[in-house]
Amino acid sequence: AFTLKVNKILKSGQLVDDAVVVDVLKRLQENPATFMDGRYANARGIVLDGVPRTLQQAKLLDSFLNVDVVINLFNKEEVLVQKLA
């Protein structure tokens, strides 16, 4: 049911709200062997791309994740548009 909910949101093109993003990451952290059919059972860490997207997500993630490194990349909008074209 949870996976279907997330897939429906993603397929609609909408952003997944903060609570759902944090719930996904909590499920992964709590039981990597069963999360996403066990794909992450042997993972020793995770790389988040696009998360946290909001200050609220950052605060929620900080409450349960042990973050070692944060890399924040910035680029000019013109460069990004050029790369997409």
Side-chain angles (χ1 to χ4, degrees):
F2 179 76
T3 304
L4 294 175
K5 175 183 174 181
V6 174
N7 282 337
K8 183 178 177 182
I9 295 169
L10 293 173
K11 286 181 180 181
S12 74
Q14 297 177 22
L15 292 175
V16 180
D17 66 52
D18 293 348
V20 174
V21 169
V22 171
D23 193 20
V24 167
L25 294 171
K26 278 185 178 179
R27 288 170 187 244
L28 173 58
Q29 182 199 32
E30 289 169 359
N31 200 346
T34 60
F35 183 80
M36 298 289 290
D37 300 322
R39 278 185 243 177
Y40 303 99
N42 297 317
R44 296 188 323 199
I46 58 174
V47 175
L48 304 176
D49 180 12
V51 178
R53 191 180 65 248
T54 66
L55 180 58
Q56 179 65 18
Q57 283 180 8
K59 288 179 179 179
L60 290 168
L61 293 175
D62 189 45
S63 70
F64 69 91
L65 282 181
N66 180 17
V67 178
D68 294 324
V69 176
V70 174
I71 300 172
N72 194 5
L73 302 175
F74 290 95
N75 211 333
K76 294 181 181 179
E77 184 176 352
E78 309 86 58
V79 173
L80 297 174
V81 171
Q82 181 181 6
K83 290 182 179 289
L84 289 172

